[in-house]
Amino acid sequence: MEALLTLLKQNARESDDTLAKMLNTTADDVHARIAALEASGVIRAYQAVVNTDIIADHNDVCAVIELRIRPEREGGFDRIAQRIGRFPQVVSMFLMSGGYDLLLFVTGRNLQEVAGFVSGTLAPIDGVLATATHFMLKTYKDHGVLMTGEDNDQRLTICP
Amino acid sequence: MTNASQSVRDFVAPHVRVLPKSGIRAFFDIVASRKDVISLGIGEPDFQTPWHIRARTIEAIESGATRYTSNLGSPELRQALAAYTERAFHVSYDWTSEIVVTVGVSEAFDIAFRATLSPGDEVLYHEPAFVAYAPLMRTTHAVPVPVATRRADDFRVRVSDLEKKITPRTRALFLNYPNNPTGAALRREDVEALAAFAIRHDLLVYTDEVYAELTYEGDRVSIAAMPGMKDRTIFLNGFSKAWSMTGFRLGYVCAPPALADAMMKIHQYGMMCASSISQAAGLEALRAGDDDIAGMRDSYRQRRNYIVASLNAMGLDCFTPPGAFYVFPSITSTGLSSDEFALRLLNEESVACVPGTAFGACGEGHIRCTYATGMESLKKAMERMSAFVTRLRA
């Protein structure tokens, strides 16, 4: 992967000036390259990686849902996947190999809301053959970021 | 009548009594008393030891690999080291007779000096230099002879300067490239010239390659690989920097059988063997750690680019070092000495750098900053240093 993308994946808020120094180029060049990556759709969005477990008033629940679906004669899994992906409750979705077809990450304000979405919205969709819902209990690592531990620098302040 | 502490001090051998304490240590005592200091003084990788290496270490304990190994080091590790030096440095060592696994590279220096130096032998070494070399040579009653390197040469040691220091007592040459504290590295033509110099004067060469894996540009050429040099070279290396394994204290020394055997004698009486647990970790690093090095090296290279650009932008002349994780900018334009600059920067902006003089007299006019620290800290440190320098010049 291009070094600029690697750096942005680590910290999307890094300034063009800092990125330029790190990559031994100019801020204008960095600006232009980012614009091109955005225009071509390589960069789709910028988001913060948030540890929701430690937000005091955060009660949202997240579920991982396995879906078995029936592929269509023309378009395979794509049309039904597009349809399911439009629901705002679906945060991420992947086509998988193995025992099921689609893997969904779904959020809701509480357990009932997610359960209602699965049983009332997802399951009745024509082409959905089976669902299996797993509720997420705790986040240990997200987007490559560990949520606990290993952050404290325990090195001596000065050493040879 | 003498008091207790006086009588204890009297027992200290005179040549040890006169050894200076590390210049870094003196500065550390000041830094340790301050809070909220951003430290660019840490000569230690900020990355955690890669997880698979830590996991293998735990496994070694769980499987009971907690006993003495061979004095030389476990056969598996020595075989892996022989393969590694071959592929990384293009020099072949026989794992049965030419490799000794040590407790860090520090022990490797110690046994190398003690096995080869006699009282009065002179050893040429280039300055600025890591703080341990000269004192360790002095413990053998040898005479370390510093040879200054210069910014104009990108701190590469010049044969013409070495020639001026040659005497009938000169026995050895010590090299450390990529270099702590300057980050300098040698070019192939430098290494060839140094090899010819060593052969011309029949010198033994010690080469500390601990930063070799952190070479960003140019060839990585070890003098041990030069024609005719293996038989007169002691090659020293360790796991601390490349794989961020400082606490494992694992190093090794490679040398012709007679020299390795002499070093092994001292090692077996002094240390017995390196930690078996650390040896298991080292084996894992050699077998499956190439990607770890590549990832860390990329990060260091980006940080180096950032810190060099930032220092030059604030008017502190700094060449782009091809290796290690230090920069050694000149602070002469501020009118302060190295000690004054470092102390005032610490007092006024809470940024810790090491005065260049900690690494020898010719380090005056410079400070050592390490970029083995996260980008956020690095950015803050550069902002504060820039404010400090601007204020000095106002």
Side-chain angles (χ1 to χ4, degrees):
Chain A
M1 196 185 311
E2 181 179 344
L4 175 59
L5 281 175
T6 306
L7 290 172
L8 287 172
K9 277 170 73 76
Q10 287 163 5
N11 182 6
R13 286 166 57 90
E14 205 70 89
S15 71
D16 289 356
D17 187 49
T18 300
L19 290 168
K21 283 177 180 168
M22 293 170 80
L23 298 171
N24 211 10
T25 182
T26 62
D28 286 346
D29 177 52
V30 167
H31 186 77
R33 279 158 66 186
I34 291 175
L37 288 164
E38 288 172 353
S40 64
V42 172
I43 294 176
R44 309 291 297 193
Y46 300 92
Q47 288 188 341
V49 178
V50 176
N51 186 355
T52 52
D53 291 356
I54 57 172
I55 298 174
D57 59 351
H58 185 86
N59 298 313
D60 285 7
V61 292
C62 186
V64 182
I65 299 167
E66 300 164 2
L67 281 190
R68 279 184 54 222
I69 55 177
R70 185 171 51 238
E72 295 173 333
R73 191 181 302 277
E74 289 176 20
F77 296 110
D78 290 350
R79 219 158 58 103
I80 189 167
Q82 293 271 2
R83 185 176 167 198
I84 292 170
R86 287 197 189 95
F87 290 109
Q89 292 91 334
V90 178
V91 177
S92 308
M93 180 168 59
F94 308 91
L95 181 65
M96 308 294 289
S97 65
Y100 54 92
D101 305 306
L102 291 180
L103 183 71
L104 275 58
F105 288 74
V106 169
T107 60
R109 275 174 298 182
N110 51 46
L111 200 136
Q112 286 73 23
E113 190 176 290
V114 174
F117 174 69
V118 175
S119 60
T121 307
L122 279 182
I125 292 173
D126 192 27
V128 172
L129 303 176
T131 67
T133 304
H134 313 271
F135 284 99
M136 281 164 49
L137 304 180
K138 184 173 179 178
T139 309
Y140 289 101
K141 190 175 184 180
D142 191 16
H143 285 78
V145 180
L146 275 171
M147 295 296 158
T148 51
E150 301 204 355
D151 291 324
N152 293 334
D153 191 344
Q154 297 186 344
R155 296 177 298 165
L156 301 172
T157 317
I158 299 272
C159 72
Chain B
M1 189 173 156
T2 57
N3 62 32
S5 63
Q6 182 69 46
S7 63
V8 168
R9 198 167 66 236
D10 285 346
F11 287 116
V12 177
H15 73 290
V16 175
R17 197 181 303 153
V18 298
L19 281 185
K21 283 189 180 167
S22 160
I24 296 179
R25 183 74 219 176
F27 198 63
F28 172 79
D29 291 339
I30 303 170
V31 176
S33 65
R34 304 288 162 83
K35 282 185 178 169
D36 302 324
V37 169
I38 301 175
S39 179
L40 303 184
I42 309 170
E44 181 176 19
D46 62 316
F47 297 101
Q48 267 288 3
T49 307
W51 173 242
H52 67 101
I53 296 174
R54 284 184 277 160
R56 177 69 194 96
T57 314
I58 295 164
E59 200 183 308
I61 295 172
E62 285 176 341
S63 65
T66 55
R67 298 175 183 279
Y68 293 133
T69 67
S70 153
N71 294 128
L72 293 168
S74 76
E76 295 81 8
L77 179 58
R78 280 181 286 140
Q79 285 172 44
L81 284 169
Y84 171 71
T85 50
E86 174 82 54
R87 78 182 142 92
F89 296 93
H90 310 295
V91 49
S92 304
Y93 288 105
D94 175 6
W95 71 270
T96 61
S97 61
E98 296 185 317
I99 298 176
V100 183
V101 177
T102 57
V103 181
V105 197
S106 305
E107 191 219 342
F109 306 140
D110 192 29
I111 61 174
F113 296 152
R114 287 202 275 161
T116 54
L117 296 175
S118 301
D121 284 349
E122 292 178 4
V123 184
L124 302 176
Y125 73 103
H126 48 90
E127 273 195 346
F130 175 54
V131 294
Y133 303 143
L136 277 179
M137 290 173 202
R138 285 201 188 95
T139 63
T140 69
H141 301 275
V143 182
V145 179
V147 176
T149 59
R150 303 170 191 83
R151 163 69 177 94
D153 303 317
D154 290 348
F155 296 104
R156 290 143 51 223
V157 65
R158 291 202 307 208
V159 168
S160 55
D161 290 327
L162 292 169
E163 290 280 7
K164 290 175 197 157
K165 298 291 181 83
I166 282 280
T167 76
R169 305 218 64 158
T170 308
R171 177 168 173 77
L173 167 67
F174 190 97
L175 297 174
N176 165 225
Y177 287 100
N179 178 255
N180 173 9
T182 62
L186 296 176
R187 299 172 189 163
R188 179 171 288 276
E189 62 263 31
D190 299 327
V191 180
E192 286 168 352
L194 288 165
F197 167 78
I199 291 169
R200 191 159 61 245
H201 294 285
D202 192 22
L203 302 180
L204 171 69
V205 176
Y206 312 96
T207 179
D208 173 6
E209 308 269 1
V210 76
Y211 291 102
E213 286 288 4
L214 303 181
T215 303
Y216 309 109
E217 276 106 26
D219 284 349
R220 183 176 62 185
V221 195
S222 173
I223 196 164
M226 293 290 110
M229 285 307 295
K230 192 190 149 190
D231 288 344
R232 60 171 70 246
T233 301
I234 295 182
F235 176 101
L236 307 136
N237 207 343
F239 292 76
S240 291
K241 313 297 181 182
W243 286 281
S244 197
M245 290 172 62
T246 50
F248 285 81
R249 307 311 305 128
L250 190 66
Y252 55 99
V253 54
C254 306
L259 289 175
D261 194 50
M263 290 187 281
M264 207 281 278
K265 281 195 276 188
I266 302 169
H267 172 74
Q268 75 178 2
Y269 293 128
M271 287 293 168
M272 195 78 79
C273 66
S275 148
S276 61
I277 314 298
S278 295
Q279 291 189 52
L283 184 58
E284 173 68 16
L286 291 174
R287 281 183 177 166
D290 284 1
D291 290 346
D292 304 321
I293 297 177
M296 290 191 267
R297 187 167 46 216
D298 282 348
S299 289
Y300 287 135
R301 183 193 287 116
Q302 285 159 359
R303 296 177 194 176
R304 177 205 61 175
N305 292 345
Y306 173 78
I307 196 169
V308 169
S310 301
L311 290 166
N312 282 316
M314 62 182 91
L316 300 182
D317 171 56
C318 181
F319 86 116
T320 303
F325 43 54
Y326 308 102
V327 288
F328 203 63
S330 166
I331 49 90
T332 49
S333 60
T334 64
L336 298 181
S337 72
S338 300
D339 283 355
E340 286 167 345
F341 185 95
L343 200 57
R344 281 189 58 182
L345 182 64
L346 179 63
N347 282 334
E348 296 175 30
E349 294 288 346
S350 294
V351 175
C353 299
V354 183
T357 45
F359 308 97
C362 70
E364 180 54 84
H366 294 82
I367 53 168
R368 188 192 78 172
C369 309
T370 172
Y371 48 90
T373 194
M375 270 308 293
E376 285 308 308
S377 298
L378 213 50
K379 278 197 287 185
K380 268 190 218 159
M382 288 300 104
E383 283 164 17
R384 292 183 189 185
M385 200 187 287
S386 178
F388 173 69
V389 171
T390 304
R391 222 165 41 241
L392 283 178
R393 293 197 173 123

